[in-house]
Amino acid sequence: MGSAVRVDKIEDADVIRDIVLSVWDAIAEDGLQADQWHPNFYRRAYLCVYEGENPLAVMSVHPINATSLQVHIHIPHECREKKYEIGQSLIDFVWSETEFKCLVAMIPVIFPNVEGFATKLGFVNVGTLKRAHTKGGELHDVNVLQLERGSSDG
């Protein structure tokens, strides 16, 4: 592996958009158009993982309440060999830079590889939202996973 990764806040809409759109076809819900998607800086903050000056991945975050932060990681296919280092660096950054007690990820059941990734980072399944995601003209359940500060892996 090359140089160590680092995490920082990012407000460069073009970099965020490039990374999110690189995985758009896989993640976008029906009805969402790539040409109409732009980072929402009013409702979300964005963190970027860099290797040197090269952006590898982006995580959007927004508070659910005073203790819980919802997270969504976007890792381009060409960076997935570093996915665990990327994921752990983002978790470490949130724990060191915020006082949130819990990270929450909402993962449609049609993405078992993403749930497996989150589980390996210490997230646990705490419930399911029924028929809450539309993809391919069908409604799919969404699993809710959480990682608590101070848990054995978090």
Side-chain angles (χ1 to χ4, degrees), residues 51-135:
E51 185 172 55
E53 295 304 312
N54 183 37
L56 300 179
V58 167
M59 182 167 75
S60 64
V61 300
H62 70 274
I64 296 171
N65 55 38
T67 62
S68 299
L69 187 68
Q70 186 171 341
V71 300
H72 189 97
I73 298 175
H74 305 276
I75 304 173
H77 295 285
E78 63 271 14
C79 297
R80 299 243 168 116
E81 73 277 357
K82 297 179 181 188
K83 64 186 174 190
Y84 296 112
E85 181 181 8
I86 289 168
Q88 191 61 56
S89 67
L90 287 162
I91 292 166
D92 293 345
F93 182 87
V94 171
W95 290 157
S96 69
E97 299 296 322
T98 76
E99 296 193 18
F100 287 102
K101 307 288 186 235
C102 179
L103 302 182
V104 176
M106 299 178 65
I107 303 172
V109 298
I110 59 173
F111 301 120
N113 58 322
V114 176
E115 186 166 346
F117 165 70
T119 300
K120 285 188 178 180
L121 290 172
F123 284 78
V124 295
N125 188 322
V126 295
T128 302
L129 301 172
K130 298 294 184 185
R131 300 167 53 86
H133 182 84
T134 306
K135 186 78 171 168

Side-chain angles (χ1 to χ4, degrees), residues 27-29 108 110-111 131-135 138-142:
I27 65 167
E29 233 181 314
I110 59 173
F111 301 120
R131 300 167 53 86
H133 182 84
T134 306
K135 186 78 171 168
E138 297 181 28
L139 288 169
H140 303 278
D141 293 349
V142 174

